[in-house]
Amino acid sequence: MSGNRPWLAPLLSLVFLAVFVGLWHLGTRTSVGEVIVDPEYAALIGAAAATGGQSAMPGPGDVVAKLWEHVTDPFYDRGTNDKGIGIQLGHSIARVLIGFGLAALVAVPLGFVIGMSPLVYKALDPFIQILKPISPLAWMPLALYTIKDSNISAIFVIFICSLWPMLINTAFGVASVRRDWLNVARTLEVSRLRTAFQVILPAAAPTIMTGMRISVGIAWLVIVAAEMLVGGTGIGYFVWNEWNNLSIANIISAILFIGLIGMVLDNSLARLGRAVTYKE
Amino acid sequence: MSAFRNPFDHKVRLHRGGCSCGHHHSQADHDKAELLEKQALQDRAVEGAIMRALFPQDEVRRRFLKAVGGTTAMAAIASLFPLAAAKEAFAETLGPLEKTKLSVGFIPITCATPIIMAHPLGYYAKYGLDVEVVKTAGWAVIRDKALAKEYDAAHMLSPMPLAISIGAGSNPIPWTMPAVENINGQAITLAMKHKDKRDPKDWKGFRFAVPFDYSMHNYLLRYYLAEHGIDPDRDVSIRSVPPPEMVANLRADNIDGFLAPDPVNQRAVYDGVGFIHLLSKEIWEGHPCCAFSASREFVTTMPNTYQALLKAILDATAYARKPENRKEIAAAIAPTNYLNQPVTVVEQVLTGTYADGLGNVVRDPNRIDFDPFPYESFAIWILTQMKRWGQISGEVDYAKVASDVFLATDATRLMKEVGMEPPTDPVKAFSVMGKPFDPSQPEAYIDSFAIKRG
């Protein structure tokens, strides 16, 4: 159906967006009330409080204006605690990539060993089962206390949360390589190392890539929370700082950026995943 | 400047063109001579130390000098031992800063005013320091970052250096508090829906927030509630919420009120979320709030840096103390880089002309004030409350902990150097809600309360 009308889906997306923004606009429309307090008092409080209400959610217009400010000037630096959103996102991305990269370096070889040897798998299984479900943020106080460096602690938290999906997926992928292929390799007297690299790795690659894709998604989720806790730099700190100022328009802008970057990270790993897929 | 000299001081000359001792042409010459004299003394001390090391027996030294003559001896020793370098090295430990690039953590509240304003208004630079003031998310994080030496010094709540030193809530690490940041400057804010419940006796079941367990806010709220017959542990719940999250929680109806540092209270009024029930100064006029703190290790291993930093803070505090400067300070610390608040909110806190959330404009210039002196009796009071609420137990050497942590001596000397007038007695008497506190009888004070733990 959509095959002969390819514009239908994007059109529907736009309709959804318009309906959402419209509802948002209606929901946040501030009725211009009478100022019910004397002018001297009114000057000291926010506009909404002066009319007897609470300051409201910003409308779509306010958010777009803020968004425009961030897009046009993303890399300003007005001191240690006030940097542009581009710089903050850069810090977060760097942390995620370092933590994720380190986790991949550990998880993929370890997953290989676990997948190839049922004995190691059984021995390590209880540890993995216990450590896997721990919220990465629960590690934060321990990390801060032992590592004594907030930046490395944040990276450690990313490391620990990206480790498990990659480890488990690698092990699963390696363990479920088709017996026939391994048998063929054995009949041809291929060495174990060559079997690992030329038979198992390509066979397990799609599963490993799926694990990486899950990991990077989790890492991006966690970095925001970790940076809100630790502060200093990063998009999480930016959200926290604007929360401090109850600046909802800024927070919504940051949320949009977080979503955008998350999508880019996910898409790039999905693309890598497609590159290693094979047809049986 | 003779017009401003004390005419009743015998050391001071009122005529122009002289110095305080009368032997020099001007005060500048006098200072220069004094400096040279100090250097000469230092040099002598170094030479003496070397000679003592070379000749453990004084008689041998004297015989040697008699035989070869003093000048020859000095030249001979200098050829073997780098005397000049040794003198220089010794002089350096008294003069230059050990470290100029420092990192100081703060929480974005007006209590941190001296620490923050010293940055935009150039007080750190004035004392040769390049200080980075870093905004931090909460008290536990600032404590951990300070303990981890990521920060050279930090803004803390005044009970925190005591708690860290005696190991309550963390491992005991000798910590110091060379200066109080601000006095007063807190308030009890309640949600708008409690507008008619102004009597604390009606507050049973309320959920309150304080910034941290080891905070004046916690102790003052508990004290206030207990004095009104409300048991702070059984009749209400008190939880610790970082200041920036308090207004959001009040708005979301997660809490009924809080005793918070400013500008949180004013911000709640600004957004129409709450009203100011009571300023903390009405509980205890002149109570300490936040503190400038550093590890004892920093104080002892980098004495010059520590002194320069403390002087910058004291200097800034002296400036913040003057009501006429408050508007300028509010404008300097309100931007995103520091407090990240609307200027009017910060200004209302600092000037004390504020909206109370109920439609009144209140004028109270002492809403927040800045007095850096760390009175030891403040520390003792804090310790009594820690014990009263079961945060510490057993024997406490109140006076010793107080004088170890609250560095009143350093504050006295450095306050004089920046031209402030320190008090003569490090112990100050005060009363909380009309009840006098005797710092020499801390245990009896704890026993006098009907509501307490343990």
Side-chain angles (χ1 to χ4, degrees):
Chain A
M1 205 174 88
S2 64
N4 43 16
R5 277 179 290 179
W7 42 268
L8 203 57
L11 184 74
L12 205 56
S13 296
L14 280 178
V15 171
F16 285 149
L17 182 69
V19 169
F20 173 70
V21 171
L23 285 176
W24 180 10
H25 176 72
L26 287 178
T28 55
R29 208 174 31 161
T30 40
S31 48
V32 185
E34 281 286 298
V35 173
I36 51 166
V37 287
D38 71 276
E40 189 198 5
Y41 185 80
L44 295 177
I45 53 177
T51 56
Q54 299 190 344
S55 43
M57 268 291 285
D62 306 322
V63 172
V64 169
K66 268 279 171 251
L67 214 51
W68 184 246
E69 257 176 55
H70 289 305
V71 170
T72 48
D73 187 13
F75 297 111
Y76 70 84
D77 185 351
R78 298 192 200 109
T80 317
N81 308 306
D82 186 12
K83 296 189 199 308
I85 201 159
I87 298 181
Q88 307 286 24
L89 283 167
H91 276 285
S92 298
I93 293 171
R95 283 196 185 112
V96 164
L97 291 184
I98 294 171
F100 175 79
L102 289 174
L105 284 181
V106 173
V108 173
L110 195 63
F112 240 86
V113 173
I114 294 174
M116 285 171 80
S117 152
L119 178 71
V120 180
Y121 176 77
K122 274 190 189 138
L124 286 178
D125 192 48
F127 299 107
I128 297 176
Q129 294 305 329
I130 288 180
L131 293 174
K132 188 182 64 170
I134 297 174
S135 160
L137 290 175
W139 292 100
M140 186 54 98
L142 190 69
L144 269 179
Y145 191 82
T146 46
I147 301 175
K148 295 188 185 271
D149 182 295
S150 53
N151 198 23
I152 300 177
S153 299
I155 291 171
F156 170 77
V157 167
I158 296 304
F159 167 82
I160 206 93
C161 77
S162 4
L163 191 65
W164 310 115
M166 277 195 271
L167 185 65
I168 292 165
N169 267 47
T170 309
F172 174 75
V174 169
S176 51
V177 173
R178 275 172 62 178
R179 292 286 122 196
D180 308 351
W181 300 348
L182 293 177
N183 288 340
V184 169
R186 202 171 302 148
T187 333
L188 294 173
E189 291 186 347
V190 181
S191 73
R192 275 185 78 93
L193 202 65
R194 211 170 146 203
T195 315
F197 277 101
Q198 296 202 325
V199 180
I200 300 177
L201 187 62
T207 330
I208 297 176
M209 286 315 297
T210 310
M212 286 190 165
R213 197 174 154 192
I214 298 171
S215 280
V216 91
I218 295 177
W220 188 246
L221 290 182
V222 167
I223 192 67
V224 177
E227 285 168 347
M228 282 179 89
L229 267 182
V230 177
T233 49
I235 192 70
Y237 165 77
F238 180 87
V239 170
W240 176 82
N241 196 22
E242 293 308 331
W243 184 20
N244 188 7
N245 190 15
L246 299 173
S247 169
I248 307 298
N250 266 322
I251 294 177
I252 296 174
S253 319
I255 288 174
L256 287 177
F257 278 111
I258 293 169
L260 209 64
I261 301 283
M263 193 177 79
V264 169
L265 284 175
D266 189 63
N267 269 353
S268 46
L269 276 169
R271 199 159 287 206
L272 271 178
R274 273 198 295 278
V276 296
T277 328
Y278 53 87
K279 273 205 181 122
E280 283 186 30
Chain B
M1 295 290 279
S2 60
F4 299 108
R5 290 194 188 142
N6 182 359
F8 298 104
D9 188 340
H10 68 94
K11 280 185 268 177
V12 164
R13 273 164 66 110
L14 292 179
H15 297 292
R16 278 171 191 280
C19 76
S20 55
C21 74
H23 295 301
H24 305 93
H25 193 64
S26 70
Q27 188 64 35
D29 285 359
H30 170 95
D31 290 344
K32 210 192 272 170
E34 211 170 60
L35 193 72
L36 283 174
E37 202 178 305
K38 207 167 131 200
Q39 275 169 359
L41 275 175
Q42 276 175 19
D43 291 354
R44 260 293 123 80
V46 174
E47 288 164 11
I50 291 166
M51 289 305 273
R52 268 198 300 280
L54 284 174
F55 302 98
Q57 283 169 313
D58 203 44
E59 211 203 314
V60 181
R61 176 185 66 93
R62 279 189 282 147
R63 263 192 278 143
F64 171 71
L65 288 178
K66 223 189 246 169
V68 301
T71 336
T72 326
M74 199 172 151
I77 290 166
S79 69
L80 294 170
F81 190 90
L83 255 183
K87 284 178 195 166
E88 218 166 277
F90 182 73
E92 235 157 349
T93 60
L94 288 171
L97 303 171
E98 297 87 354
K99 188 176 174 188
T100 52
K101 272 190 90 69
L102 300 177
S103 171
V104 175
F106 74 94
I107 303 280
I109 50 180
T110 41
C111 308
T113 299
I115 290 180
I116 304 171
M117 63 176 272
H119 190 251
L121 300 181
Y123 284 95
Y124 293 126
K126 182 176 164 189
Y127 291 94
L129 296 168
D130 176 13
V131 175
E132 190 183 38
V133 286
V134 187
K135 203 186 290 190
T136 312
W139 297 107
V141 178
I142 213 167
R143 177 193 64 199
D144 290 351
K145 281 189 163 183
L147 292 180
K149 296 183 192 145
E150 257 183 72
Y151 295 149
D152 297 287
H155 165 208
M156 284 190 184
L157 295 155
S158 46
M160 286 170 65
L162 292 165
I164 295 172
S165 296
I166 58 182
S170 60
N171 282 342
I173 291 165
W175 216 256
T176 65
M177 184 180 132
V180 171
E181 286 288 291
N182 65 310
I183 54 173
N184 301 336
Q186 311 170 358
I188 297 179
T189 297
L190 296 178
M192 281 319 268
K193 65 174 181 185
H194 299 306
K195 193 151 67 177
D196 302 318
K197 290 191 186 168
R198 299 297 295 272
D199 186 350
K201 290 191 178 61
D202 301 334
W203 292 357
K204 281 201 177 167
F206 270 30
R207 296 151 304 164
F208 284 105
V210 293
F212 197 57
D213 288 342
Y214 302 96
S215 67
M216 284 305 293
H217 313 79
N218 188 18
Y219 305 139
L220 288 175
L221 179 63
R222 282 166 174 271
Y223 192 103
Y224 179 76
L225 291 170
E227 288 296 295
H228 285 94
I230 301 279
D231 188 314
D233 288 316
R234 297 193 181 114
D235 298 333
V236 296
S237 71
I238 298 179
R239 62 175 105 141
S240 143
V241 175
E245 294 160 31
M246 283 177 165
V247 179
N249 271 301
L250 193 67
R251 188 193 166 103
D253 202 21
N254 279 337
I255 46 177
D256 295 289
F258 47 71
L259 199 157
D262 274 313
V264 176
N265 304 292
Q266 203 57 50
R267 188 62 208 247
V269 172
Y270 182 84
D271 281 290
V273 176
F275 68 93
I276 295 177
H277 166 71
L278 177 97
L279 295 182
S280 61
K281 68 186 276 282
E282 292 164 58
I283 301 174
W284 170 3
E285 170 73 55
H287 69 80
C289 171
C290 285
F292 168 71
S293 77
S295 67
R296 184 158 279 285
E297 189 191 330
F298 176 72
V299 172
T300 47
T301 57
M302 298 190 190
N304 300 322
T305 310
Y306 151 69
Q307 291 192 24
L309 186 60
L310 184 52
K311 268 164 105 167
I313 300 275
L314 291 173
D315 217 353
T317 312
Y319 191 75
R321 198 162 195 190
K322 301 200 179 80
E324 66 270 23
N325 299 333
R326 298 271 175 90
K327 278 198 174 179
E328 178 200 347
I329 296 168
I333 65 174
T336 314
N337 197 22
Y338 306 110
L339 294 185
N340 198 14
Q341 292 287 341
V343 178
T344 170
V345 169
V346 182
E347 202 176 281
Q348 288 178 64
V349 172
L350 291 181
T351 59
T353 300
Y354 65 94
D356 68 351
L358 297 169
N360 312 308
V361 177
V362 185
R363 283 180 181 78
D364 190 341
N366 288 330
R367 173 172 181 176
I368 188 169
D369 202 354
F370 300 93
D371 180 358
F373 195 76
Y375 289 99
E376 283 166 20
S377 42
F378 288 175
I380 298 174
W381 187 86
I382 292 167
L383 290 167
T384 65
Q385 298 304 305
M386 285 181 175
K387 193 155 182 198
R388 178 181 179 189
W389 302 115
Q391 288 181 335
I392 52 174
S393 55
E395 286 289 305
V396 182
D397 191 344
Y398 294 94
K400 182 169 185 312
V401 175
S403 65
D404 277 357
V405 178
F406 280 39
L407 303 180
T409 326
D410 286 0
T412 308
R413 181 165 51 82
L414 296 173
M415 274 170 84
K416 276 188 196 146
E417 284 183 26
V418 298
M420 294 175 91
E421 250 178 67
T424 46
D425 192 355
V427 177
K428 178 165 107 164
F430 54 83
S431 45
V432 183
M433 289 179 81
K435 185 181 162 105
F437 170 63
D438 178 0
S440 63
Q441 301 291 334
E443 290 290 340
Y445 183 71
I446 300 174
D447 289 337
S448 71
F449 293 109
I451 300 178
K452 58 176 179 286
R453 300 284 88 82

